[in-house]
Amino acid sequence: MTAFGDPADAIIIGAGVVGCAMARRLALEGAAVIVLERAPDILSGASKANSAILHTGFDAPPDSVELECMQAGYDEYMEIRGGFNLPVLETGAMVAAWDGSEEERLPELLDQALLNGVADARLLSRAEVLSREPALAAHVRAALLVPREVIIDPWSAPLAYATQAKALGARFHFNAGLQSADFDGGIWHLNTQAGAMTARSVINCAGIQGDRIEQMLLGEAQFEIRPRKGQFVVFDKAAARHLRTILLPVPTARTKGVVLTRTIFGNLLVGPTAEEQEDRERPDVTRPELEMLIAKAVELVPALAEAQVTAVYAGLRPASEEKHYRVHSLPEKGYYCAGGIRSTGLTAALGIARHVQALWSQSQTVSGSRPAETPIDPLPNLAEHLTRDWQMPGHDGIVCHCEMVTGREIDAALASPLPPGDFGGLRRRTRCAMGRCQGFNCLARLASLSEGRLSVPLVPEAAR
Ligand SMILES: Cc1cc2nc3c(=O)[nH]c(=O)nc-3n(C[C@H](O)[C@H](O)[C@H](O)COP(=O)(O)OP(=O)(O)OC[C@H]3O[C@@H](n4cnc5c(N)ncnc54)[C@H](O)[C@@H]3O)c2cc1C
């Protein structure tokens, strides 16, 4: 059976950026794919809250799966982005040294970048750094410039992958958390909140729950998730004029450290922190850490002392007890795992999907054939440096004045092939309520426009 009777060729557990990219890759190969997501929408885990940097892999461990996937992911993103209308903000990144010991480490970082194939990385003197970024604090000593590090839209990219997978026949089930599973020697029988489903293979892309899903499926897990929280402060758009380049610290063994970067939406972002926590569900923001981030931003760019804060948020990295990705398989059970994708998954997702698909196809077959044509649905642009919908005629009025979101954009998102399931999904697809007033002025209108169209209705009092 299949394409598309029961069982599916693969059930993907989790619709974060990795699950969405995985669904697209397998669907492009002609596989009958089901995606299970416990939340009402895609990108409800780590993938909803990151720094949105498309990394070159200049500081990734050499010869690692992570480096391979990041570079393959970066290249594929650049290759496909035109068709999907996915934006890039070409900022480049500077690893800045602020004291003598950091400066001493820059040549070693350059060597690693060159070893990792990032051939255009180069050292900048203090004068070169300040001529590129005059607003930096005067005590900057030198930097490593990585020109091809860029900023992307962290939500439209995975939405594009998922939308294409759906157009190729992949089935997405939301509010469909996996509850139990049984392998009968040939077929997986999965019991989910949305009913029973069967497949010849399962692919674990469950992020922060990855180890528990592996335990549930196999009876034991090869890895243990250790959630690592990252908090961010978003400065108002006026602050973005102070910095063009992504500003990275000299990394430590544990974290890439606090980054100061523009966002594709025109703001300036500082974060993330790196805080271990037991709780897998709640990435709370905390005042001392947010104040520390603001102080750090002002230390690096003194003019930010005057900047207003628009929003704060936090995400949980699905880190594990080891630094490397936890990608492995048990072919005799039709089990594949893309786990522990802690801090580079936005970049690496398309590469991880290729890597896991290569493992998968060593012992699995697709029931369909490769599609003759690849459907591509261009996504609406939300990037501030490109033309937005409000700048074009016939947009049906502005609904969110802070982020200049139009009625036509809200309607298009709600009517799209993969519509939002909740208010968070609508925000990520349009930017509504993401600006200065955080929805104070537009929640009632948004509730009325989305009435009956979200699986979790927007209740303005609850969303405030
Ligand atoms: C603070 C921070 C900054 C970052 N910055 C960057 C960056 O600049 N660049 C970059 O490339 N990467 C960055 N990352 C990393 C990137 O965001 C992650 O690597 C990536 O989002 C991981 O995606 P995932 O699909 O593996 O996990 P997730 O996005 O967490 O997806 C897993 C999904 O599985 C679902 N799920 C869980 N349990 C079940 C179940 N029982 N049944 C069904 N579904 C289930 C969850 O609801 C979730 O949607 C950052 C991450 C953080 C937290």
Side-chain angles (χ1 to χ4, degrees):
M1 278 284 272
T2 235
F4 209 117
D6 258 354
D9 295 330
I11 291 184
I12 294 167
I13 302 159
V17 64
V18 175
C20 292
M22 197 69 240
R24 169 180 175 269
R25 176 50 44 206
L26 286 183
L28 283 169
E29 297 296 322
V33 181
I34 292 175
V35 182
L36 292 183
E37 172 53 56
R38 69 175 177 167
D41 199 5
I42 63 168
L43 313 181
S44 298
S47 305
K48 78 174 167 197
N50 57 49
S51 322
I53 301 172
L54 200 67
H55 295 291
T56 54
F58 78 92
D59 59 348
D63 298 322
S64 61
V65 170
E66 180 174 8
L67 176 62
E68 173 209 315
C69 293
M70 286 172 79
Q71 296 190 330
Y74 184 109
D75 290 347
E76 189 170 349
Y77 180 86
M78 291 301 184
E79 191 188 308
I80 66 174
R81 76 178 191 90
F84 288 111
N85 195 32
L86 296 175
V88 158
L89 187 62
E90 290 181 5
T91 52
M94 284 194 308
V95 181
W98 299 92
D99 61 30
S101 67
E102 288 184 355
E103 191 175 357
E104 276 171 20
R105 287 201 51 213
L106 292 182
E108 164 198 324
L109 285 174
L110 174 62
D111 287 347
Q112 189 179 357
L114 298 177
L115 183 67
N116 286 357
V118 183
D120 54 354
R122 65 190 164 89
L123 297 178
L124 298 181
S125 66
R126 177 172 182 274
E128 287 171 311
V129 172
L130 285 172
S131 109
R132 192 180 166 99
E133 294 294 349
L136 285 195
H139 67 285
V140 67
R141 312 252 315 206
L144 172 70
L145 177 69
V146 189
R148 286 183 305 108
E149 298 262 310
V150 296
I151 306 295
I152 65 170
D153 175 342
W155 304 310
S156 64
L159 177 60
Y161 312 155
T163 304
Q164 188 176 52
K166 188 169 182 199
L168 289 166
R171 293 187 188 168
F172 285 78
H173 294 274
F174 296 104
N175 305 303
L178 180 65
Q179 292 174 318
S180 61
D182 182 48
F183 183 64
D184 70 7
I187 305 288
W188 278 101
H189 300 264
L190 269 52
N191 178 29
T192 82
Q193 288 166 312
M197 297 178 203
T198 57
R200 281 194 291 274
S201 65
V202 289
I203 306 182
N204 177 358
C205 301
I208 208 91
Q209 301 293 340
D211 55 343
R212 291 181 178 165
I213 294 294
E214 184 158 295
Q215 171 85 36
M216 186 193 289
L217 293 171
L218 302 182
E220 58 183 348
Q222 279 190 35
F223 64 108
E224 185 188 324
I225 288 290
R226 308 239 174 109
R228 191 175 299 152
K229 181 166 72 174
Q231 305 192 45
F232 292 94
V233 172
V234 183
F235 288 106
D236 199 33
K237 295 192 183 193
R241 70 180 188 280
H242 297 305
L243 194 70
R244 288 180 305 148
T245 315
I246 302 164
L247 196 62
L248 304 168
V250 174
T252 66
R254 195 168 142 271
T255 164
K256 282 178 172 299
V258 172
V259 179
L260 195 56
T261 172
R262 287 158 74 176
T263 73
I264 202 107
F265 312 114
N267 298 83
L268 195 71
L269 185 70
V270 61
T273 56
E275 304 163 62
E276 315 290 337
Q277 68 172 49
E278 295 275 310
D279 190 330
R280 297 184 182 213
E281 304 296 337
R282 286 164 25 114
D284 290 338
V285 289
T286 49
R287 183 172 278 273
E289 280 68 29
L290 296 174
E291 283 173 352
M292 178 278 289
L293 289 174
I294 293 171
K296 186 79 197 166
V298 173
E299 182 192 320
L300 304 181
V301 177
L304 291 175
E306 304 301 320
Q308 302 286 315
V309 170
T310 294
V312 295
Y313 66 93
L316 281 182
R317 302 171 185 87
S320 74
E321 78 282 18
E322 286 174 29
K323 198 172 177 229
H324 59 90
Y325 286 0
R326 314 310 292 266
V327 176
H328 48 257
S329 63
L330 199 61
E332 63 275 23
K333 283 203 155 187
Y335 174 78
Y336 303 83
C337 177
I341 314 295
R342 59 185 206 293
S343 55
T344 48
L346 176 66
T347 305
L350 294 168
I352 294 168
R354 282 185 181 273
H355 184 92
V356 174
Q357 185 258 325
L359 280 179
W360 185 87
S361 56
Q362 283 169 16
S363 46
Q364 303 291 326
T365 50
V366 294
S367 54
S369 49
R370 281 203 183 146
E373 286 193 15
T374 312
I376 296 180
D377 238 343
L379 268 89
N381 169 58
L382 300 175
E384 188 82 352
H385 65 293
L386 302 172
T387 307
R388 293 274 311 274
D389 193 55
W390 65 269
Q391 294 162 308
M392 293 185 278
H395 56 58
D396 199 20
I398 308 292
V399 176
C400 163
H401 285 266
C402 299
E403 290 295 308
M404 298 300 278
V405 183
T406 69
R408 179 167 60 189
E409 285 177 304
I410 300 289
D411 200 54
L414 291 167
S416 62
L418 204 57
D422 59 7
F423 181 48
L426 183 62
R427 295 176 83 205
R428 291 190 286 277
R429 280 170 183 74
T430 64
R431 291 209 48 76
C432 67
M434 287 220 178
R436 264 192 173 182
C437 87
Q438 293 286 293
F440 184 84
N441 292 311
C442 60
L443 279 181
R445 177 90 198 282
L446 290 167
S448 133
L449 290 171
S450 62
E451 193 176 351
R453 299 170 85 182
L454 298 173
S455 72
V456 181
L458 165 58
V459 179
E461 300 70 41
R464 283 206 171 100

